[in-house]
Amino acid sequence: MASVPGSPNGIVHRTSIAKELGEMVVERDGPVDPEFGESLPPAAGEKGGQEEAKEGRGQGGAWLGAVCFFGIFFSYFIYALLQEKITKRNFGDERFHFFMVLVGIQCVINAAFAKIICLWTGKEVSLKPYRLFSVLSFTYVGAMVSSNSALAYITYPTQVLGKSAKPIPVLMFGVVLGRKTYPLVKYLIVLLIVVGVALFLYKDGGSGSHSNGDVDQWRLFHFLGLGEILVIVSLIFDGITGVIQERLRSKFSVHALYMMYAVNVYSAVYLAVCESHSQTTLP
């Protein structure tokens, strides 16, 4: 026993001191020694259970990743087939040019899907912050309409290949507008993407990239047609969209379904207003 001044009998058990000190210690993983307030190693059964739980989460994550990968792949595959079939269809002597209507229908379906999933999972969605979402939706609509409109002048594979250069504007606008820094290897990857896309598109002088030679007569710098310019405009909008999305995630902790719902609602409104003032009529 140890004598401590101020105690009623001048004597306090060591276990009492340890107990008082133990209340001031934040417990770590595992049980705490009641006498000295120290963490004890987990029992063999508990340790095995923790390892099994981690292993199970790892396997579940791998399966979920595989499902998401194949889901995205097949969804985009079917989407590509249907989009090319719609946009390349002739209506008598008139080609398809109802791209705002096409994008607007997609936005309505996307917003409805995101809302249903949020109701099912119990997640809340909103249209706030209004300013950022309104600007983000504008750039999103600009990218979608531009890339879809390009299909009137270039083939679908050419449009997809051009859009594969999306990391270029995302990186550029991330540096300029987002004040972000990237490792040198990312700049090298972007450079290789540029070279690869340019070689594929213009290996035969760019003649194979057009779906209809009579449509795209005007060319800028003798190698950029209207279809390619629309793809470039779409990529610029994509770069700005990426910066705004990153700001929403970092500043407001917006989850994916929240963003999907809000962006598509705003976009549907924009397209409805534009379509109501346009001269195009559905076939």
Side-chain angles (χ1 to χ4, degrees), residues 7 10 32 127 148 151 164 173 177 199 247 249 255 267 274:
S7 60
V32 178
L127 299 178
N148 280 272
L151 293 173
S164 68
F173 283 100
L177 300 180
L199 288 175
R247 184 172 183 183
R249 292 193 195 98
H255 58 80
S267 300
C274 292

Side-chain angles (χ1 to χ4, degrees), residues 266-283:
Y266 279 103
S267 300
V269 173
Y270 285 154
L271 290 165
V273 173
C274 292
E275 188 62 27
S276 66
H277 289 80
S278 69
Q279 301 298 321
T280 59
T281 56
L282 290 173

